Amino acid sequence: MAYGYALAVVAGISLGVLVGQSTWALRGLDPVFQVLRTVPPLAWLPISLAGFQDSAPSAIFVIFITAIWPIIINTSVGVRNIPEDYRNVARVLRLNGYEYFTRIMLPAAAPYIFSGLRIGVGLSWLAIVAAEMLIGGVGIGFFIWDAWNASMISDIVLALIYVASSASSSTAWSPMWVTA
């Protein structure tokens, strides 16, 4: 899960900043993002299995594609909502691009970015459990499916408690999810 989520963080924040800063990128990419984010995560699994021909990279891709949308959307909204006063201060101080990014943009958009990261990690937990059930092999999803097939309901309950306790600090149903 860490690999897929880390890739989603890097790509999501980068694309979110691009879409938030550029009107052209917003007009060109946002409609694509809005369409692709509606595709259920597990619908990507057969495509990724066909493309990667292996279950491990397929699971990483499913986590990536699940987590990236809230990160992109929240980051772009955060960047677009930077107050004009902050932009004016950057112009008065003649900040270069890097200084503007580190001193103005990131701090101002941080609440939105972290909200997207929080939602993304919660959705990643949902995707990995389901993907592991379908792919098989290892992981908590496979453990739950294997316990079901062995009629070991107590093991399923234990696994659900584990998943709930692991993901409780990063709930996917946050009211902070901004849909632009």
Side-chain angles (χ1 to χ4, degrees):
M1 189 177 110
Y3 291 130
Y5 182 70
L7 290 171
V9 168
V10 171
I13 291 175
S14 300
L15 285 169
V17 168
L18 174 69
V19 170
Q21 281 289 99
S22 168
T23 304
W24 289 98
L26 176 66
R27 289 182 185 160
L29 295 176
D30 191 56
V32 175
F33 296 158
Q34 295 301 331
V35 169
L36 291 178
R37 76 181 182 93
T38 62
V39 176
L42 291 182
W44 293 99
L45 188 59
I47 294 170
S48 65
L49 282 169
F52 292 113
Q53 302 288 316
D54 189 15
S55 61
S58 296
I60 290 170
F61 177 77
V62 169
I63 292 166
F64 168 82
I65 205 74
T66 302
I68 196 167
W69 308 122
I71 297 171
I72 291 173
I73 292 168
N74 282 2
T75 301
S76 67
V77 169
V79 169
R80 283 195 313 266
N81 285 334
I82 295 173
E84 193 60 36
D85 290 345
Y86 292 11
R87 297 175 199 270
N88 291 337
V89 168
R91 281 193 277 281
V92 168
L93 295 176
R94 297 181 184 183
L95 298 180
N96 62 34
Y98 176 76
E99 291 172 327
Y100 175 75
F101 180 75
T102 58
R103 295 185 181 176
I104 303 290
M105 185 186 303
L106 278 182
Y112 291 92
I113 293 170
F114 281 108
S115 178
L117 294 175
R118 182 173 164 239
I119 294 164
V121 77
L123 292 173
S124 294
W125 266 107
L126 296 174
I128 192 59
V129 170
E132 288 172 348
M133 284 180 173
L134 294 175
I135 292 172
V138 296
I140 191 73
F142 174 73
F143 178 82
I144 292 170
W145 190 250
D146 193 45
W148 167 254
N149 287 329
S151 298
M152 297 170 54
I153 303 301
S154 60
D155 284 1
I156 296 171
V157 171
L158 181 66
L160 293 176
I161 291 169
Y162 172 75
V163 169
S165 66
S166 298
S168 66
S169 64
S170 59
T171 181
W173 310 114
S174 171
M176 293 289 294
W177 189 343
V178 179
T179 54

